[in-house]
Amino acid sequence: MEASVKRLNRNMTLAAAFKMDWRGERLDLHEAHTLILHAMYHTDIFQQYGPPYAVRTPTYPSASGHHEPYRYPELEIPTSQRYDGLFTALDTSQRILGAAPLTPLSLPPGPALGFGQPQPPCEAPQLPGNVKMTLENRDLWKEFHIIGTEMIITKSGRRMFPQCKVSITGLDPDGKYVLLADIVPVDNSRYKWQEDHWEPSGRAEPRLPERVYIHPDSPAPGSHWMKQPISFHKIKLTNNTLDQMGHIILHSMHRYQPRFHIVRAQDVFSRRWGGCSSFTFPETMFLTVTAYQNEKITQLKIQTNPFAKGFPRGRTQK
DNA sequence: TCCACTGCCACGTTTGAAGCGT
DNA sequence: AACGCTTCAAACGTGGCAGTGG
């Protein structure tokens, strides 16, 4: 992969990528997406080709709407009731609600994780402040969040539930946009389940290569993105560090936060980015597991996920 | 011994092709 | 021929559970 990225020319267009015979293998759309995103997020590999792509962790002015860590007053419950015992060891600075934007830059530095490396400011201008993103199935996410969302990760890849589903307003109906999602670690701790709550248990595993999910409709005009909610339900999570399927690779027993990015561009390979905005929703934070630890989460998943209807309540009792 | 992880299983949902009628 | 509806089987997405291995 790295060798391929090095060969990636900055002037490549989507059409060129399809035509290009890469080491004897014709790229399909997914492979091309993976490659370009790899390039965008690994500017160190890519610097020999000049200034990096504009899309990477942008700066987040607090008042511009460029990045919005949404705050929901109704979620501001007393600390003693928060998360029903989840993450009790966290200090107040780690609170989810109203927390600083969840970017690698805002995370604690740690050589093993590759945090704290200086990143040049985003070259692309911000999207207008009236570009807004809302979480569609927010109530469901909140239900899970209050208990402490767990996401199963498997070798072959597991879908997220609840799904990531968002609505967007304020885009230029005729402008073309690319929608991206990625998942970043929240902190540098590993966690373990202690009877009825999660607590930190040592340092996090070394950070894995960040993969980005590009919504398959990308690129599409603003009118397309705004006419109906956008679902990222096809995102799959895996703990297989050698995954070849393009799934998002995560460590088990770690906390993560999904992020969503809107980039104005003619295509995913375009050099000209007309602006970008990133959004996070605190209630979508989750903890990765290979088997559910909190029985309340298991029951809520069975209760709310249509695909889990084959598991009546009695069958899941431990 | 503990516990994170894996592979298989049974079950329900989703999807799409095939068949049929209008 | 085109369209819409129904049926049905295959594919897919689930959590449970027993076994494995560090």
Side-chain angles (χ1 to χ4, degrees), chain A residues 215-236:
Chain A
H215 194 283
D217 291 358
S218 303
S223 57
H224 173 81
W225 297 119
M226 293 188 293
K227 74 181 177 188
Q228 60 191 10
I230 304 147
S231 175
F232 288 87
H233 68 281
K234 288 190 176 175
I235 291 177
K236 281 192 174 182

Side-chain angles (χ1 to χ4, degrees), chain A residues 70-77 97 138:
Chain A
Y70 281 88
R71 191 185 190 90
Y72 301 116
E74 64 270 35
L75 285 175
E76 289 280 15
I77 52 181
L97 300 170
R138 187 182 133 210

